[in-house]
Amino acid sequence: MPSSPSTLDYLCFQAARQPEHVALHFNGQAISYARFHEDAGRMVSMLRQKDIRPGEHVAVEMSNFYLHWLILLAIEALGAASFSFAPDEVSLIGKTLDQMDRVICLSANMPHSLEKPQMIDIGHLEMFRQTEPEIPIRQHDTDHDAAFRIVRSSGTTGDPKTMIQSRGAFETRLTQAQAHLGFTPRTRYLMAFGFPVQAYHLHGTACLRAGATCLFDRKIRLDEALTMQQATDILLLPRTLILMLNSLDETYRPQPGRRIFVLGGSLSASLRHRAADRFGAEIIESYGTNETGAAARVSPDGQAAVLPGVEIEVVDEHDNPVAGQPGRIRIRTGGAVSGYLNDPERTALQFRDGWFYPGDIGLTLAHRVVRITGREDDLLNIQGRKYDARDFEEQLIRNWPVSDGCLIHVNDDGEMPTLWVVVVPKNPDDGMTILKALEKRVTPAFGKTRLVTLTEIPRTMTGKLQRTRLADTLRQIAKQQTTSDSSSPLPIDPEA
């Protein structure tokens, strides 16, 4: 028996307390707590035969959400640490997978770049269905400091950085999440992404422990699932929220009491108002990082109240706390990881003296209240004035016939940074029309600027801009198309 109750302990409790209550709606299939608990026992029994040892690092591919969750619970019971990834991420996280002791794949379509993956195929699934569940489930007594989950950063500035999250750090984040979310057995929580995004694993765990119902359906659109599954709660990233708003059916009717949690980036006042009005929902915004977990709850006026158990300071370049002026944000919490796996240089840069430095800019407003004014990467310095690129992106997607758009500074060899305006037309044939329309809105006041159309903007699984990859692409365009219309210097007015 673990020293503190595990998720399997809570699953056992809910199966005894409300056996027929639905734990998970998965692609139209209702899975009760009794069945979930029994299937978890089967998965533990099956994986125990594979001789997974305590302390091992096991990567699990997620092409089947329910089986993926069962495998993670079984790995926890066996005392190993799990890492979740999607099939289309292999090329991006290959270095991380190379560091794993095992890689378990559920899809026969996995890239051949993986070395010796362990497949759980149709034969294994037949064996799984016939396996006698291990009830009660025997669990390894995992130490507070032992590795529990392998997680990663967003990968916006290069390859994702890998981190080891201890059992204690996970439980600290979970306690904060449970207080913040307030899930009950009446909650119906819609999953917008799977467990490769660690916030969804945390929220899913909180949902299961509370005896609530999780919803995961990839057979219908997210906005359709919101209505058809009568979801009470959903977690979105700002970009996902924008895309949902733009695709929302005109017949959508708000559901009283619905809550939309937002993390992974700040909301502009206009986006927050638009979402609250269209969804008829309470918008609950959080500030945090993959390295620390949630750190503050952000009010509609942009004030961030620091969560209990978390410290946030605004400091100058010498790490001295400053008040009344912008400075660099640093965070300290028991839910933080201690550094990046096999990356001592980056660890030394961002983890110092128990603090994590995320690269965000903020302002201290009062005791345990700060304002996050932006991320260094998102701020565009144009002629000495700073603008938030995300505001431009929101306006591009909302007001122009484009499916995606962004603004980015790219450093050219030996030259000043170039501001690029990048758009993906909904109709490729409209590319030149869009460029000409945008050209009428520009002004020469902002120096060297280029505007270009692409078929796709490289983004992470959660929609964040992959800056390094995009910058490399734009440098190639600059070399190959220095005189073409689609990449000619076109200054753009951020206030137009």
Side-chain angles (χ1 to χ4, degrees), residues 88-109:
D88 57 1
E89 294 185 290
V90 172
S91 61
L92 184 64
I93 61 169
K95 293 179 181 178
T96 299
L97 295 178
D98 289 341
Q99 298 169 9
M100 297 293 113
D101 296 307
R102 299 171 190 250
V103 178
I104 296 178
C105 299
L106 304 175
S107 172
N109 301 320

Side-chain angles (χ1 to χ4, degrees), residues 8-9 11 37 40-42 44 48 77 134-139:
L8 282 168
D9 293 328
L11 181 59
H37 180 239
R42 287 192 176 92
V44 171
R48 201 181 293 281
E134 183 181 293
I135 306 291
I137 298 173
R138 292 179 288 122
Q139 301 180 59

